[in-house]
Amino acid sequence: MAAGQLVGAIGGEEQEGRIAALTVPDRKAWWEEAMAGFRPERMDVARTKVQGIARPLEQRLSQFEFLAGPEYSLADIDVWPFVEPLLRLLPGVVNDRETPRLMRWTRRIGARESVASAIAGARDG
């Protein structure tokens, strides 16, 4: 998936201008590659990294309802924004078959009124 598909609202020239304005060469090269579409090798590395994150989270959620234990905590608040996009970005790794507990947790956290409110506020700004 190309990052351009995710950026969506930023169009051609504006997008190119933002990338051109980047001053960190590695970051600039990364975004140029992202906009063109990542090579399969890079996606394989990303999948491996996500599996290395998803498996321990899945294991943790087999012990507790939330990441730090039986109650919702800052751990859930902190980790959720990084996990939630993985459902769309790497559905072959994070899905109901491979990571059912992580999927339930992600949906449960996303359904919280405070999370929905924070997301709506971020999109309005």
Side-chain angles (χ1 to χ4, degrees):
M1 172 181 297
Q5 293 173 298
L6 298 173
V7 174
I10 301 173
E13 287 184 26
E14 182 182 354
Q15 201 168 321
E16 290 173 14
R18 288 184 180 191
I19 293 170
L22 293 172
T23 58
V24 179
D26 290 349
R27 210 41 20 200
K28 185 175 184 175
W30 186 91
W31 272 105
E32 287 171 345
E33 181 183 355
M35 298 311 295
F38 288 115
R39 297 182 318 274
E41 314 82 65
R42 186 182 289 268
M43 291 304 297
D44 289 343
V45 169
R47 277 186 206 89
T48 300
K49 286 181 179 180
V50 169
Q51 286 170 336
I53 294 166
R55 285 183 183 136
L57 290 173
E58 181 72 13
Q59 175 62 34
R60 180 69 177 168
L61 291 167
S62 73
Q63 300 167 352
F64 297 104
E65 186 175 352
F66 298 101
L67 293 178
E71 296 183 24
Y72 180 68
S73 72
L74 286 174
D76 302 292
I77 294 167
D78 188 46
V79 173
W80 184 83
F82 297 99
V83 172
E84 193 278 333
L86 299 177
L87 282 62
R88 294 180 309 283
L89 296 175
L90 290 171
V93 176
V94 180
N95 57 61
D96 287 315
R97 184 175 48 84
E98 299 293 325
T99 56
R101 292 175 188 94
L102 185 58
M103 293 293 290
R104 274 193 306 276
W105 172 85
T106 303
R107 291 178 183 131
R108 188 170 55 243
I109 300 302
R112 295 180 70 91
E113 185 177 332
S114 58
V115 173
S117 176
I119 290 170
R123 289 185 180 146
D124 291 342

